[in-house]
Amino acid sequence: MKRDVKELVKQMTLEEKAGMCSGKDFWHLKGVERLGIPEVMVSDGPHGLRKQAAEADHLGLNESIKAVCFPTACATACSFDRELLEKMGETLGDECQAENVSVILGPAVNIKRSPLCGRNFEYFSEDPYLASQMAAAHIRGVQSKHVGTSIKHFAANNQEYRRMSCSSEIDERTFREIYLGAFETAIKESKPDTVMCSYNRINGEFASENHKLLTEILRDEWGYEGYVMSDWGAVNDRVKGLKAGLELEMPGSGGNTDWEIVEAVKNGTLEEQVLDTAVERILNIVFKFTDNRREGRFDKEADHKLAARIAAESMVLLKNDGVLPLKAQGQKIAFIGKFADKPRFQGGGSSHINSFKVTSALDAVKEVTEVAYAQGYDVKEDKIDEELFAEAVKTAKDADAAVIFAGLPDAFESEGYDRSHMRMPDCQNALISEIAKVQKNVVVVLHNGSPVEMPWAEDVKGILEAYLAGQAVGQAEVDLLFGKANPCGKLAETIPYQLEDNPSYLFFPGDGKTVEYREGVFVGYRYYDTKHMAVRYPFGYGLSYTTFAYSDLQLSSDEIKDTDTVTVSLKVKNTGDVAGKEVVQLYVADKTGSVSRPAKELKNFVKVELQPQEEKTVTMQLDKRSFAWYSTQLHDWYAATGMYEIMVGASSRDIRLTKTVKVVSSTELPLHVTMNTTISELLENSRTREVIRDMAESLIEHMGGSQEGEEGNAAAEAITPEMSLKMMENAPLRAMRSFMGMSTEEIETLIERLQEAAENK
Ligand code: BGC
């Protein structure tokens, strides 16, 4: 059905149009009955449907309908599996259709700048490429069912502390490469119906009224056509927000801000056309849903099974000294820890799903074998309960192997506040250490939304990182522990040894008014790997019950223009005796020296399934963006001419194959020549190089000569050829006055010639 939305907007009164720009209540948009504009509902997201029935509130105080809690983003990102995320999205889309929900609020792609952010469990990664790829797949899936998504929180909302007022102070290059990077590809490729702007300010300006962000970048540069809604309560100045590109305010303001919009149009401070465009954008999405409604029911049990599969494909095996998989027969196994019985599988706050059922590891293991169980610790208080502790140590000791289900209790991390440290509860750390003294086969299974310090890592034989894996968590854990499924998740973030190692440590979370992103682009592995720092487990790392061999790396060309693409292919072989999946990662290292860059950056990946001894060829593409950095001079992406290393690896620290490619740039960075431009800058620029080359040679002579000094000649020894060369390179043009006897006028004439050359005149 083709609708003429423009025509419809023409028929609306000013008050009706203003009314469309804010919610009716917590979860609904307003309708206009006389014109057939329906009221539609939006609901949280991101990893399940949180549809609140009657009395609504955004932090989940009131009950929502029974639904399915899928693994949270911190887990699913570790799957590195676009198809899996798309499948999860499709299922969420079907659930929304069944429940008449027009937009499901998510995915959330904010970068994990610090392990302390209370909401890291809802976010994908420390890497913008991975976050964006996962989000794009999620959006594709949901929207294939004609249900909208809301990619959030746009942008630079990387902490909970003072999230509604604090200003994220970020330089432009970092903002583009890291924080906007997580949104850009997902928005361009998958076109989410809505974008949710964040609460915080960015360099002083609220996201909700940031014209640069919501219009210049989002619409003018990225071509975005959906609508922008506010995070719940993120509006500061409604009219300013509308002008900046914020179409919908959520939740409703009881009519107050609608009235402000009406007034602004009447008194001429807001052009009515701005309002009309906003309403048009909202209505396009409203009708996109209502015109494609499909009544139906969703099969909770089937979706629960899918949640178990996604969880199993996401969990990361961090350590296995031959203890896993466990044997269902002939081995006495103990399950220790409260989380074996009552697992923590999601985080607190607006994403909290009312799960229709939960499968714990104790439930799931009943289908496999009998295990002994002891609770070991309490989650309400971080205090050793002597009785529980002693019983757990004894149960573990009496078994052939002990699996300890540990992690962070709800109070340790949540939406609304950040963690103050990276430790697990002391009572759990103590229990693990004590059990490791009496039992040599210890496996720890972790339930947490963000990395924890693991002081006992050397004392146990196995570690399985389950993250917050959704309501079927126990099924996935048991399948992996007993080898029914083969671990294939890889870390979507680095696990440092300790909090202090994290690059944002000195600046997080700021003074409450501002938070400075001083580590710049060096976030996560971009920092650890560049500094060659020891980490507990690196980005992209994860073990399997089989092994993989990489060979025969090929590039489609060893020299490309920056407007071309290069295809990378290689062979991957399963060299073990069980089937498994490998995540092959493609990193690029800039060797041109054009700017300070991380040692490597993830630019593509592929997940491949292989039977024992099977070999497959996998291919991945790289384009200009894979090589480029964001130049604040060009206000655009720039890949300098020169060599780039293509690194293929099983983690950021396990690079198996490398090759180099030369990229030839079609752009030259602008050069403004002044008295203080250095000779090296002029030599680096291909256009000014010709003009300055001869003069540079004679400048060397004047600065001490390029000949070897005679032995024993103190004056000559004082100035080596290397030194004269560097002195020449670092000299500004004005130095020609002092060292070459040129006059100011002569240098000015030279500058003119150089500038003309730089501009290619
Ligand atoms: C959260 C959003 C959420 C909204 C609605 C806010 O507090 O930041 O992520 O979608 O509430 O519940």
Side-chain angles (χ1 to χ4, degrees), residues 698-713:
S698 65
L699 186 59
I700 297 189
E701 297 299 324
H702 284 85
M703 287 185 128
S706 55
Q707 279 91 37
E708 287 291 334
E710 275 168 52
E711 235 174 282
N713 176 341

Side-chain angles (χ1 to χ4, degrees), residues 344-647:
R344 179 154 177 269
F345 60 88
Q346 64 173 329
S350 61
S351 66
H352 202 91
I353 307 298
N354 187 0
S355 298
F356 85 92
K357 78 170 186 188
V358 178
T359 305
S360 71
L362 275 183
D363 296 330
V365 80
K366 286 187 192 124
E367 304 291 318
V368 180
T369 186
E370 239 181 75
V371 297
Y373 171 67
Q375 180 184 322
Y377 59 85
D378 190 20
V379 284
K380 288 201 190 73
E381 216 184 343
D382 184 9
K383 214 172 104 197
I384 292 177
D385 178 319
E386 298 295 349
E387 218 172 289
L388 291 180
F389 195 95
E391 184 208 0
V393 174
K394 177 161 189 328
T395 309
K397 188 176 177 197
D398 293 347
D400 299 322
V403 185
I404 308 176
F405 294 78
L408 298 177
D410 278 321
F412 272 58
E413 60 181 346
S414 163
E415 178 178 344
Y417 56 91
D418 299 315
R419 290 193 288 169
S420 54
H421 59 77
M422 213 181 102
R423 297 188 298 279
M424 295 216 311
D426 293 339
C427 67
Q428 291 191 37
N429 281 335
L431 183 67
I432 297 170
S433 298
E434 202 53 36
I435 289 178
K437 286 183 196 152
V438 299
Q439 168 58 261
K440 60 182 190 320
N441 293 317
V442 175
V443 177
V444 176
V445 181
L446 289 171
H447 306 73
N448 47 315
S450 197
V452 291
E453 290 170 9
M454 303 178 202
W456 33 257
E458 302 303 327
D459 309 328
V460 301
K461 278 199 179 157
I463 306 174
L464 178 66
E465 176 57 87
Y467 278 110
L468 300 183
Q471 66 180 50
V473 51
Q475 186 64 57
E477 287 168 348
V478 167
D479 286 351
L480 291 169
L481 288 171
F482 288 90
K484 191 171 165 209
N486 190 352
C488 59
K490 302 252 188 165
L491 289 176
E493 62 189 322
T494 312
I495 302 186
Y497 276 104
Q498 50 177 8
L499 178 64
E500 292 80 351
D501 296 346
N502 179 264
S504 75
Y505 175 70
L506 295 174
F507 323 113
F508 184 95
D511 62 10
K513 287 198 167 41
T514 59
V515 49
E516 295 180 61
Y517 286 47
R518 289 219 211 163
E519 66 284 3
V521 297
F522 295 93
V523 175
Y525 72 89
R526 283 169 165 71
Y527 173 80
Y528 300 117
D529 288 7
T530 307
K531 296 227 356 178
H532 298 291
M533 267 175 78
V535 295
R536 178 71 76 188
Y537 296 110
F539 177 84
Y541 167 87
L543 301 170
S544 162
Y545 293 149
T546 186
T547 45
F548 301 96
Y550 293 37
S551 64
D552 202 14
L553 176 62
Q554 308 273 356
L555 305 184
S556 56
S557 171
D558 52 15
E559 179 170 332
I560 58 158
K561 293 205 203 76
D562 65 359
T563 44
D564 297 339
T565 56
V566 57
T567 305
V568 179
S569 71
L570 67 138
K571 290 185 182 141
V572 189
K573 184 172 184 182
N574 180 344
T575 44
D577 49 17
V578 286
K581 289 185 182 175
E582 172 69 328
V583 176
V584 181
Q585 299 153 48
L586 179 50
Y587 297 88
V588 172
D590 183 342
K591 300 291 176 194
T592 67
S594 64
V595 75
S596 161
R597 288 188 78 172
K600 63 174 93 67
E601 297 175 23
L602 183 75
K603 297 299 174 185
N604 215 327
F605 59 83
V606 64
K607 192 164 190 173
V608 54
E609 180 165 19
L610 294 163
Q611 297 305 313
Q613 300 306 313
E614 190 186 3
E615 183 172 68
K616 279 186 187 159
T617 298
V618 299
T619 57
M620 289 171 271
Q621 298 285 330
L622 296 173
D623 60 12
K624 176 179 171 187
R625 186 58 78 83
S626 319
F627 302 101
W629 51 279
Y630 190 84
S631 159
T632 51
Q633 259 183 300
L634 288 175
H635 295 292
D636 202 356
W637 296 85
Y638 173 68
T641 296
M643 303 308 284
Y644 294 80
E645 202 167 1
I646 309 295
M647 307 167 141

Side-chain angles (χ1 to χ4, degrees), residues 96-125:
C96 287
Q97 281 288 0
E99 288 294 333
N100 200 9
V101 169
S102 72
V103 172
I104 178 160
L105 305 174
V109 298
N110 300 88
I111 291 291
K112 296 172 200 260
R113 179 178 173 234
S114 161
L116 297 183
C117 172
R119 234 177 154 179
N120 275 359
F121 71 90
E122 265 185 89
Y123 301 151
F124 289 114
S125 180

Side-chain angles (χ1 to χ4, degrees), residues 27 44 50 58-59 105 119 152-153 163 196 199 231-232 350 415:
W27 303 116
D44 279 306
R50 189 173 74 98
H58 71 304
L59 289 179
L105 305 174
R119 234 177 154 179
K152 63 189 186 181
H153 310 86
R163 67 171 173 168
M196 187 190 290
Y199 285 124
D231 197 347
W232 267 232
S350 61
E415 178 178 344

